[in-house]
Amino acid sequence: MRSVCAYCGVGCGVRVEQEAGQWRLAGDEAHPANRGALCIKGSSLIESLAFPERLLYPRWQGERLTWEGALDRLAGELARIIGESGPQSVALYLSGQLTTEDYYVANKLMKGFIGSPHVDTNSRLCMSSAVVAHQRAFGEDLVPACYEDLELADLVVLTGANTAWTHPVLFRRLQQARERRPGMKLVVIDPRQTMTASQGDLHLPLRPGSDVALWNGLCRYLLEQGLWDKAYVARHVAEFDGLAAELDRPCWHPEAVAAACDLPLCDLLGFYRLFGANPRTVTLFCQGINQSERGVDQAGCIINAHLLTGRIGKPGAAPFSMTGQPNAMGGREVGGLATQLAAHMGFDEESRDRLARFWGAPRLVSGPGHKAVALFEALHKGEIRALWVLGTNPAVSLPDSLRVREALARCELLVVSDVTADTDTARLAHLLLPAAAWGEKGGTVTNSERTISRQRAFLPPPGEARPDWWALTQLARRLGFAEAFPYEHEQQIFCEHAALSGFENDGARQFDISALAHLSREQYEALTPLRWPVNAAHPDGCDRLFADGRFATADGRARLVVAAPPAAPLQVAPGEGLPLLLNSGRLRDQWHTMTRTGHVARLQESEPWPTLRLGPASLLALGAEPGALLHLRSAQGEAHALAARDEGLREGEAFLPMHWSESYAAGSGVNRLLAPRVDPLSGQPAFKQEAVRVSLRPLRWQGLWLGPQAWGVPVDWWARRPLVGAVGGGVCQWLASWSEGDDACWARLSAGGNWLRLPQAKGWLAIELAQGRIASLLLVTPDPMKVRSDSLASLLGAPLQADALIATLDQALAGASRLVCSCLRVSERQILDAIAQQGIGEVAGLQALLGCGSNCGTCLPEVARLLACQQG
Ligand SMILES: Nc1nc2c(c(=O)[nH]1)N[C@H]1C(S)=C(S)[C@@H](COP(=O)(O)OP(=O)(O)OC[C@H]3O[C@@H](n4cnc5c(=O)[nH]c(N)nc54)[C@H](O)[C@@H]3O)O[C@H]1N2
Ligand SMILES: Nc1nc2c(c(=O)[nH]1)N[C@H]1C(S)=C(S)[C@@H](COP(=O)(O)OP(=O)(O)OC[C@H]3O[C@@H](n4cnc5c(=O)[nH]c(N)nc54)[C@H](O)[C@@H]3O)O[C@H]1N2
Ligand code: SF4
Ligand SMILES: [Mo]
C-alpha cells in the first residue's frame, strides 16, 4: 500500500507491505518528491508507532469514559461556556500534522458554526511569516516552484535552513544534481556552520537577524550593476520606485551591508556576483528567515531579488519557502490560520458572503482571531475559557513556555487530542481524546511543492482511537449542526473542500482543486500525487505558478516591498555568567517535542542528551569541558543543558535544540528561556534569538541510572533516553545533584531494595539485585558523557559475576563513541579505527568498508571531516 511519510514537509511517498506478519516500509519509487529515497526518520516510521504510553480511551480527569460520554460532556461544557461568555470564549489550536480533512472540519465548525475566530495552528510558529510575505508580494499564499527547480538551477541559495538535517531527502536530491552537474553552485547563509553549510561552495555566516541588510544590499547591487530584468519589472512588477528610493540609502552600500552582516566584503560580493550571473537561481528559505521579528520583511526581501531579476515561474528559478510539517501547506489551504478563511479566502465582505452561502453557515466570523501567542495570552487572562488542542504540544513549543503552561493549567476546560498521554500538554488536560495515529487513518496532505498525496491507513486503530475529523464531526452534531457535518468518510470532506476551492472562483484564487470535487470513493482511494492547482485549466496539476508573469493581485502584478534596516542586535542584561546570543532549532534524528521519536532507540543514539552547543572560546571562558552541566538564564526563565563543543558557531553565540520536553529532561526546554517576541505582521515568534547568560553548575555528584523504569527519587537535574543494548528495553537516565552529596543518595537507595555498593576509582557503582540478577544500577562518575551505556546495559538481567562485571565496567568506562551514521549505525570509533588500523584514506573506502553515509548521506561531511582530521 502506498502512503506518505508523517514527518517533514518534503512529503516523501512510502510503500508499506506485510511480510511474514511484519510490516515493512520502503520509499515509493513512483512518488515525485522522493522517487524511492527515505531518510532515517522516514525509515523509522514503523518503529515509531510503538508509543510508550498510547492513549487508547477517552479520559476525563484521568478516569476512562466512553466516546459517547466524552462527547456529550464536551458538547455540554462548550454550550454552557458559550452561553455564558459567547463563542469568542472558546478556541481551537491545530497542527500542520493533521490531515487536510481534519483541518477542514475543525475550521468549518469553529469559523462557520460555533462562530469563534480563535482557530490558530502551530503553523503560526512555522510558516506564517512566509504566508504573509507571499500574500504581500503575490496577492495570495502561493509557493511558485517545485523540487525539480532545485535540480535545474545553476545556483541554489539555502538561507536560514539546515536542509541536510531537516529536509534530508530533498538535500540529497540537490547533492545528486550537483554530482551530475559540477558547475552548479550552492551558497548557504546561516550564522552557524551547519552540516548543510559545510557542503556549500560558499558559506556566509552572517550576524543573526541581518538578513534584510544582506538581501537589500543584493537588490541595490543588482540595480547598480544593471543586472536586473527591466522588461520583466516593467510588465509584471509594481512598486519599483519605492524600492529603488529605499535602496538609494547609504546603509545598503556593500561596505555598510558587510559591516551590518559581520561578513568579509569579498565574500558578500562573491555571493552578489554569483547571484547576478545566474538567471537560474533558486533561493530556499526556512526557519532562520521566518522565525524572526522581521520574518515577513526578510522573506519579502528575498522575493524582491527574484522579482527584480524575473527569476520566478521559470524552470530552475524561484524563491522557495520550504514548509516544515507534513501538512503545513494543507492547513493553509483550508484556512487553518486565524488570519484566513478557507480556500485561500480573506475576510472581505464578498469572501465571507460566498463562504457563508457555500457552508450554509449561521455564524460566519467577521474577522481574524488571535494568533497563537496572543491566543495563549487570552487563555491566561481567562478571556478564552475552553481550548481544544489537536496534534500539537504547545506547553513545549511556544515561546515563554512556563507562562503557556500556566495558561493551560488555569484554563477552565482543556481538551487535548493526541496519540499519547505522555506529553507536557496532555498532562494538563481535563479531557483527553485518543487520536488515530499515522498508519491508522486516511486522508490527504500537501507538501512544500503543493503536491497533494494520500495518507492511507494500513493498521486498525488500537483501543478506541479515532481520527480527529471524526471527533470534530461528532461534536458538531451534538451542538446541533448535524446537517452541515454529514461526514462518514474522509472522501466526503475532501470533495467538499475541493468544491469550495472552485466555488465562484473566476480565477481570482489560484488555489483551485475543483477538478477533484467529484472523486468517487474508489477514485479518492486510488488518488495519485498531484500538484495543485488541479482545475479545468490544469486537469493534471501544475508544476510552476506565475509562468505567464501574472500574479494573484487585482492588476496581476507582483509587489516589491520596502524594508527598513535591521534592528540593533539583542543585548544581554548585565549580571553573572557568560553573555551569549541563543539560537534554537533542530537535530537530524529528532522530531519536535520527541513524542514520535524519543522512544525510538536508534533515533536517540547520535544525540542522546540535551546539549548546549558552544564555540571553543566560550567553553574555555566557562571552564567547561563537554558534558559539564550548564545553567542558562534569560529575562524569561532558566534552563539546564550539558555543554557540547561546536566549532561552527560564531563566537558569542550558542545553539540549543528545541526538542527536550519535561518527558525527556528536567527543565531543558529552550522555550523556557525565550520571550514571546513576534513579527508584527505575521505573529510568528522569534525563536532564533534570545539573550542569555550561561554559567557552569558545580555538582556534588552525577551519574547514570540504568533500569527497567525511570529513576523514582527527586533529583536536581536529569535527562533520559531509551536503553540500547538491554533485553526488554528500559531507561538510561543521567542524574545530577548540586544540592545533596552522593552519600545522601546512597543512604536513600540502600534504605529500600537489595543494593550492593562497589567503589570505583572516581565514584561508585550501586547494583540492585533481584533473584540473584542485576535489576538496575547506578554508576556515580564525574563524566557520564564518556560512559558506554550500551555496555553497562548488557549487565541488566545478568547474574552477578565478579569477572564479567569488571570486564564490562572496563569496557563501559573506556569511553563512549558517538554514532555518526544513524542509518547504518556506524560510530566515530569505527571510522577512526578504519582510518588508523586499515589505512583507509578516502570517504568512498570508508563507505565501502563500513557502509557509513550510503543511505541518506547526511553524515558524509562528518565522515570527511574525521578523515581530514586524522590525515591532517
Ligand atoms: N530532523 C528534523 N527535521 C525536521 C523537523 C524536526 O523536528 N526534526 N521539523 C520540521 C519542521 S516543522 C520545520 S519548520 C523544519 C525547519 O527546518 P529548518 O529551518 O531548516 O531548521 P532549523 O534548525 O529550525 O533552523 C534553520 C537554521 O536557521 C538558522 N538561523 C538562525 N538565525 C538565523 C538568521 O538570523 N538568519 C539566517 N539566515 N539563518 C538563521 C539556524 O542556525 C539554523 O541552522 O524542519 C522540518 N524537518
Ligand atoms: N525554540 C523553538 N521553538 C520552536 C521551534 C524552533 O525552531 N525553536 N520551531 C517551531 C515549529 S517550526 C514548529 S512546527 C513547532 C512544532 O511543535 P509541536 O507541534 O508542539 O510539536 P510536536 O511534537 O510535533 O507535537 C505534535 C503532537 O501531536 C501528536 N500527534 C501525532 N499525530 C497525531 C494525530 O494524528 N492526531 C493528533 N490529535 N495528535 C497527533 C504528537 O504525539 C505530539 O504530541 O515548534 C515550534 N517551536
Ligand atoms: S525527508 Fe522528510 S518526508 Fe522524507 S523520509 Fe525524511 S522525514 Fe520523511
Ligand atoms: Mo515547523
Side-chain angles (χ1 to χ4, degrees):
M1 168 172 297
R2 292 190 147 89
S3 187
V4 57
C5 177
Y7 292 111
C8 84
V10 178
C12 297
V14 298
R15 272 193 299 107
V16 224
E17 265 139 37
Q18 211 164 15
E19 246 175 59
Q22 295 279 335
W23 286 102
R24 300 236 173 276
L25 177 134
D28 177 1
E29 298 81 8
H31 198 286
N34 59 318
R35 301 169 194 151
L38 288 182
C39 76
I40 173 107
K41 289 188 300 306
S43 335
S44 307
L45 272 166
I46 302 279
E47 282 160 89
S48 78
L49 292 175
F51 294 100
E53 206 185 319
R54 185 66 202 260
L55 185 57
L56 296 171
Y57 309 101
R59 287 189 214 163
W60 175 265
Q61 312 266 39
E63 296 285 315
R64 176 175 169 180
L65 73 185
T66 60
W67 268 105
E68 290 288 306
L71 290 161
D72 286 346
R73 181 141 204 176
L74 176 55
E77 294 283 314
L78 285 179
R80 178 180 62 80
I81 292 174
I82 294 168
E84 289 167 9
S85 305
Q88 302 249 355
S89 60
V90 302
L92 284 182
Y93 188 54
L94 308 171
S95 163
Q97 293 165 71
L98 300 173
T99 61
T100 301
E101 290 78 358
D102 295 330
Y103 240 134
Y104 179 86
V105 177
N107 270 281
K108 179 175 174 182
L109 173 61
M110 285 299 267
K111 289 185 186 156
F113 289 79
I114 290 180
S116 169
H118 304 311
V119 183
D120 213 36
T121 148
N122 63 2
S123 292
R124 180 69 58 194
L125 318 179
C126 184
M127 303 316 311
S128 57
S129 291
V131 169
V132 177
H134 290 156
Q135 289 167 336
R136 280 209 300 186
F138 310 145
E140 188 177 337
D141 176 22
L142 299 166
V143 173
C146 61
Y147 297 156
E148 199 191 8
D149 288 321
L150 286 160
E151 297 164 328
L152 296 174
D154 296 320
L155 169 65
V156 172
V157 184
L158 302 179
T159 179
N162 186 8
T163 317
W165 278 12
T166 53
H167 296 108
V169 167
L170 186 61
F171 191 72
R172 190 87 202 114
R173 277 181 68 170
L174 170 62
Q175 291 293 71
Q176 284 165 344
R178 288 174 78 203
E179 280 160 26
R180 288 193 299 271
R181 280 196 301 127
M184 200 175 155
K185 291 279 180 281
L186 173 64
V187 176
V188 180
I189 307 172
D190 191 312
R192 297 189 300 148
Q193 181 166 30
T194 57
M195 220 25 103
T196 309
S198 62
Q199 296 176 77
D201 297 294
L202 174 65
H203 171 215
L204 298 179
L206 83 176
R207 171 179 287 135
S210 62
D211 299 81
V212 163
L214 186 102
W215 289 90
N216 271 356
L218 170 65
C219 290
R220 179 196 166 94
Y221 172 90
L222 295 170
L223 295 185
E224 242 173 31
Q225 304 288 321
L227 295 167
W228 56 298
D229 187 337
K230 294 185 188 66
Y232 186 89
V233 172
R235 269 211 302 278
H236 303 301
V237 182
E239 319 280 351
F240 174 78
D241 292 346
L243 179 64
E246 170 65 33
L247 295 181
D248 221 23
R249 293 170 58 186
C251 57
W252 312 121
H253 276 244
E255 291 79 7
V257 169
C261 298
D262 191 21
L263 290 170
L265 182 62
C266 57
D267 286 2
L268 185 78
L269 287 174
F271 166 57
Y272 287 0
R273 273 185 217 112
L274 263 180
F275 196 100
N278 284 289
R280 285 182 174 232
T281 298
V282 171
T283 304
L284 182 145
F285 60 98
C286 205
Q287 299 315 338
I289 295 299
N290 295 344
Q291 290 173 344
S292 155
E293 280 170 287
R294 301 291 306 278
V296 177
D297 278 349
Q298 291 179 168
C301 291
I302 294 172
I303 295 171
N304 279 351
H306 280 266
L307 289 175
L308 282 178
T309 47
R311 293 178 195 165
I312 187 163
K314 296 172 185 161
F320 198 157
S321 148
M322 195 60 198
T323 51
Q325 300 178 89
N327 198 30
M329 186 75 94
R332 286 146 70 176
E333 293 159 12
V334 302
L337 294 158
T339 37
Q340 321 169 306
L341 286 178
H344 282 201
M345 284 185 267
F347 292 92
D348 55 285
E349 258 329 294
E350 204 185 329
S351 299
R352 290 186 54 250
D353 172 64
R354 185 187 303 124
L355 188 58
R357 280 185 288 113
F358 182 86
W359 277 347
R363 271 183 287 278
L364 193 80
V365 295
S366 55
H370 289 311
K371 303 178 185 113
V373 169
L375 188 141
F376 282 82
E377 206 39 48
L379 192 68
H380 201 277
K381 287 197 193 118
E383 288 167 13
I384 287 174
R385 294 173 58 190
L387 174 69
W388 187 357
V389 176
L390 295 101
T392 172
N393 193 1
V396 185
S397 55
L398 276 168
D400 200 3
S401 56
L402 293 185
R403 189 168 172 88
V404 170
R405 273 159 214 250
E406 238 173 60
L408 290 166
R410 286 173 170 207
C411 171
E412 194 175 325
L413 175 65
L414 177 64
V415 186
V416 174
S417 292
D418 205 298
V419 296
T420 161
D422 186 24
T423 83
D424 291 5
T425 306
R427 277 190 282 275
L428 297 168
H430 301 104
L431 179 61
L432 273 175
L433 296 174
W438 178 87
E440 301 158 3
K441 68 193 257 191
T444 55
V445 295
T446 310
N447 73 5
S448 305
E449 54 164 359
R450 290 175 279 108
T451 299
I452 300 173
S453 297
R454 274 299 316 271
Q455 213 183 79
R456 292 185 177 88
F458 58 96
L459 295 167
E464 292 176 5
R466 295 279 182 280
D468 295 303
W469 66 261
W470 180 88
L472 288 152
T473 299
Q474 300 305 313
L475 175 71
R477 293 180 187 172
R478 277 172 173 73
L479 292 174
F481 311 124
E483 213 177 309
F485 292 82
Y487 318 120
E488 297 295 334
H489 191 275
E490 300 88 4
Q491 169 252 353
Q492 292 164 283
I493 307 169
F494 182 80
C495 289
E496 184 179 314
H497 159 60
L500 174 59
S501 72
F503 182 61
E504 296 176 4
N505 187 354
D506 52 4
R509 290 173 281 137
Q510 296 214 8
F511 173 67
D512 181 356
I513 54 167
S514 50
L516 304 174
H518 301 289
L519 293 183
S520 66
R521 182 78 55 90
E522 291 67 34
Q523 288 169 320
Y524 177 76
E525 290 306 351
L527 190 70
T528 51
L530 272 171
R531 215 170 267 138
W532 62 253
V534 192
N535 53 12
H538 304 280
D540 301 316
C542 173
D543 294 345
R544 283 173 202 92
L545 304 178
F546 317 137
D548 56 0
R550 271 199 71 77
F551 293 84
T553 51
D555 60 5
R557 285 160 172 262
R559 297 282 182 279
L560 293 164
V561 296
V562 172
L570 273 185
Q571 296 294 320
V572 192
E576 290 287 299
L578 190 67
L580 290 169
L581 187 65
L582 181 68
N583 178 354
S584 70
R586 288 151 176 83
L587 295 174
R588 184 189 60 192
D589 297 354
Q590 289 303 336
W591 179 258
H592 294 168
T593 69
M594 290 164 66
T595 64
R596 287 162 54 199
T597 43
H599 57 288
V600 182
R602 74 167 162 151
L603 294 180
Q604 274 287 345
E605 283 178 77
S606 68
E607 301 264 0
W609 309 113
T611 56
L612 178 75
R613 292 164 173 244
L614 293 164
S618 298
L619 277 176
L620 213 59
L622 284 168
E625 290 287 326
L629 188 66
L630 300 177
H631 178 231
L632 291 83
R633 204 154 30 82
S634 73
Q636 225 59 35
E638 49 181 344
H640 284 92
L642 301 164
R645 186 189 171 93
D646 185 341
E647 317 232 328
L649 287 169
R650 290 161 49 92
E651 212 34 75
E653 292 173 18
F655 183 84
L656 186 58
M658 63 171 289
H659 306 294
W660 269 270
S661 67
E662 298 299 312
S663 302
Y664 286 93
S668 296
V670 65
N671 285 323
R672 303 166 140 255
L673 297 164
L674 298 196
R677 292 178 289 111
V678 299
D679 180 291
L681 297 171
S682 68
Q684 179 154 358
F687 286 119
K688 297 291 187 246
Q689 277 188 48
E690 188 55 82
V692 296
R693 286 192 170 275
V694 177
S695 37
L696 194 60
R697 173 65 88 183
L699 294 174
R700 311 253 317 255
W701 67 271
Q702 58 178 328
L704 288 182
W705 157 266
L706 279 77
Q709 265 106 38
W711 173 260
V713 184
V715 61
D716 292 328
W717 184 81
W718 59 266
R720 73 178 171 87
R721 54 176 291 204
L723 202 50
V724 184
V727 184
V731 179
C732 174
Q733 200 163 347
W734 184 311
L735 308 174
S737 176
W738 53 82
S739 61
E740 198 177 74
D742 62 332
D743 285 344
C745 167
W746 169 246
R748 227 181 289 161
L749 262 190
S750 53
N754 182 13
W755 284 90
L756 212 68
R757 174 169 156 158
L758 311 171
Q760 300 288 307
K762 292 180 191 162
W764 43 271
L765 174 70
I767 291 176
E768 186 186 26
L769 291 171
Q771 282 134 23
R773 290 177 184 271
I774 302 176
S776 48
L777 56 87
L778 172 66
L779 177 68
V780 171
T781 167
D783 198 353
M785 192 74 105
K786 295 222 175 91
V787 177
R788 282 192 62 176
S789 58
D790 56 338
S791 306
L792 276 187
S794 67
L795 290 171
L796 294 184
L800 184 64
Q801 280 172 347
D803 292 355
L805 179 67
I806 290 166
T808 309
L809 260 180
D810 283 350
Q811 206 183 22
L813 293 171
S817 183
R818 217 168 37 87
L819 207 64
V820 172
C821 172
S822 304
C823 298
L824 278 291
R825 302 183 51 77
V826 183
S827 69
E828 187 171 287
R829 167 147 332 107
Q830 282 171 288
I831 296 170
L832 294 178
D833 283 353
I835 300 168
Q837 289 161 17
Q838 312 209 26
I840 309 274
E842 281 178 8
V843 173
L846 291 167
Q847 259 182 312
L849 182 72
L850 303 168
C852 47
S854 50
N855 181 37
C856 76
T858 39
C859 64
L860 282 175
E862 228 188 321
V863 175
R865 191 180 52 80
L866 289 173
L867 197 65
C869 284
Q870 286 308 97
Q871 290 170 338

